Amino acid sequence: MSAPEKEAAAVRGRAPGGAAVRSRLRGYAVFGLVAVLLLVVAPLALPAFRLDELAKYLCFAIAALGIGLAWGQGGMLTLGQGVFFGLGGYAMAMYLKLQDAGGDLPDFMVWSGVEELPALWKPFGSPVVAVAAVIVVPVAIAVVLGTLVFRQRVRGAYFAILTQALAAAFVILLVGQQGLTGGTNGMTNFYEFFGQDAEAESTQRTMYFVTAIVLGVLYLGARQLVKSRFGRLLVAVRDGEDRVRFLGYNPATVKTITFAISAGMAGLAGALFVPVVGIISPSLLGVVPSLELVVAVAVGGRYALAGAILGAVVMNYAKTSFSEEWAGGWLYLQGALFILVMTLAPKGAVGVWEQVRDAVARRRAVPDPAAAAPKVKEEVPA
């Protein structure tokens, strides 16, 4: 292509790389629109109760973002994300219960007959330790688990079953430690959150903004990670792990790092969930809640980070709405939706939108045969 032709193509928006620039600009525009909806429109339009519900959905969206990174980009189907969600949630709950107790034993320990604060609880009297543990503990456990599992080249269904078993074991452990974790009931009745009334409308509104901003920052960070060299290597591991190994890279390290980042996101989501909803219990962390997050990511589109967030928000909103009218049948509807998506639209809602958009673009690109036919100049007889 000559210089004048390149200049003309740039003016028409078809210069080399122009499509990527336009796609990036559209991405920023969509992100800005969603940010305005969440940070401006929703707080003004929704009542306090519905705004609290939306904050809860955004907490699940943070955990789903981690699943989208691990499963959609790295090919690691994790069915035990509730473990890391619970670790972050319990770490925050332990600090809040000690803050409410004011130096005494938390209420559920008194009911359980505990006479002295357990040694495991004592460090969580510090907010610095509690906030650090929200991320450090899930990441550390994910690193240990990933190092042991991925070096043995455990992947696919075996890795999924392993994480599912971990979630089931975690719930059994929490339920069995009544005096340490609150047992089946978990922890609730948080009255103070970093010096503020935890039940006040102003505090709940602040928590909504914090959750929305954290989700936006994590999305931008994950998006940048996917577009980086590490992200391209992660996708290469997903599509051909053995080939990546033959090229001299260590897929176990790549997958462990990604798994740890996903766990950290889930831990942070659990920590935000506690002050937003006011409870953390084993029923929120087991196999079923973990599977629901995976279903939400699949419905939204596991290959796109935005799809994972969209799926989490839409599915949890649908769960709330349908459960109010059809409490016993929601799980059947959710299972049927998952089957339909995986069979008819493996890329989820975002994938369907991309297919429609590409089809429209291809149709517009096909020239009209009548318009493309060369015109024959009529000869005037002498």
Side-chain angles (χ1 to χ4, degrees):
M1 184 183 291
S2 62
E5 291 175 340
K6 290 182 178 179
E7 183 178 356
V11 172
R12 293 192 300 268
R14 295 195 298 269
V21 173
R22 291 195 300 274
S23 177
R24 189 180 301 113
L25 291 177
R26 282 197 299 268
Y28 289 140
V30 172
F31 178 83
L33 177 61
V34 174
V36 170
L37 289 175
L38 290 178
L39 298 177
V40 178
V41 177
L44 294 176
L46 296 178
F49 175 74
R50 295 301 179 187
L51 193 66
D52 292 345
E53 283 192 335
L54 181 56
K56 180 178 69 173
Y57 303 156
L58 296 183
C59 291
F60 289 130
I62 295 174
L65 178 64
I67 295 177
L69 185 64
W71 182 29
Q73 306 299 320
M76 295 170 284
L77 177 56
T78 169
L79 300 180
Q81 205 73 352
V83 174
F84 307 116
F85 186 92
L87 288 171
Y90 271 89
M92 178 59 67
M94 291 165 71
Y95 166 72
L96 295 180
K97 294 302 289 184
L98 290 176
Q99 191 177 30
D100 290 339
D104 298 329
L105 290 176
D107 49 9
F108 72 90
M109 289 188 181
V110 176
W111 304 333
S112 302
V114 178
E115 298 180 354
E116 184 179 357
L117 187 67
L120 178 64
W121 274 70
K122 293 180 180 179
F124 288 90
S126 168
V128 177
V129 173
V131 172
V134 162
I135 299 177
V136 172
V137 173
V139 168
I141 292 179
V143 169
V144 173
L145 180 63
T147 301
L148 295 176
V149 170
F150 296 134
R151 285 189 177 181
Q152 299 299 323
R153 302 186 184 181
V154 176
R155 53 188 174 183
Y158 299 101
F159 175 74
I161 294 172
L162 179 63
T163 56
Q164 189 178 41
L166 180 65
F170 183 60
V171 170
I172 293 173
L173 177 64
L174 293 176
V175 172
Q177 301 295 322
Q178 174 71 35
L180 192 65
T181 64
T184 306
N185 297 325
M187 301 184 199
T188 186
N189 297 328
F190 305 109
Y191 302 109
E192 189 176 348
F193 180 72
F194 290 95
Q196 303 296 322
D197 184 1
E199 298 179 353
E201 183 177 339
S202 59
T203 304
Q204 291 298 310
R205 183 172 289 266
T206 300
M207 284 307 306
Y208 167 80
F209 283 110
V210 170
T211 305
I213 292 173
V214 169
L215 175 60
V217 171
L218 290 179
Y219 170 75
L220 292 177
R223 190 169 183 265
Q224 186 63 31
L225 179 67
V226 170
K227 292 182 177 296
S228 66
R229 182 179 179 183
F230 179 85
R232 294 193 292 271
L233 181 60
L234 178 62
V235 173
V237 170
R238 179 196 68 190
D239 296 338
E241 183 174 335
D242 293 332
R243 292 184 179 183
V244 173
R245 185 178 294 107
F246 293 151
L247 290 174
Y249 295 97
N250 187 356
T253 302
V254 177
K255 295 170 75 172
T256 300
I257 293 174
T258 307
F259 187 49
I261 295 175
S262 173
M265 290 183 179
L268 186 56
L272 293 171
F273 182 87
V274 171
V276 166
V277 181
I279 187 174
I280 188 72
S281 68
S283 62
L284 299 168
L285 321 173
V287 174
V288 174
S290 299
L291 287 175
E292 288 180 346
L293 281 174
V294 172
V295 171
V297 172
V299 170
R302 64 189 177 100
Y303 295 111
L305 298 176
I309 296 175
L310 175 65
V313 174
V314 171
M315 289 296 290
N316 280 281
Y317 172 76
K319 178 181 178 180
T320 301
S321 302
F322 283 104
S323 296
E324 294 175 356
E325 303 293 335
W326 193 28
W330 162 246
L331 290 179
Y332 297 102
L333 179 62
Q334 188 180 41
L337 182 61
F338 178 69
I339 294 173
L340 288 175
V341 168
M342 295 305 294
T343 54
L344 301 179
K347 292 185 178 180
V350 173
V352 172
W353 163 250
E354 291 177 352
Q355 291 175 0
V356 173
R357 183 191 61 191
D358 294 342
V360 172
R362 285 194 301 268
R363 187 170 182 177
R364 291 179 177 176
V366 176
D368 186 3
K375 295 182 179 180
V376 179
K377 185 178 180 180
E378 297 182 358
E379 296 183 0
V380 181

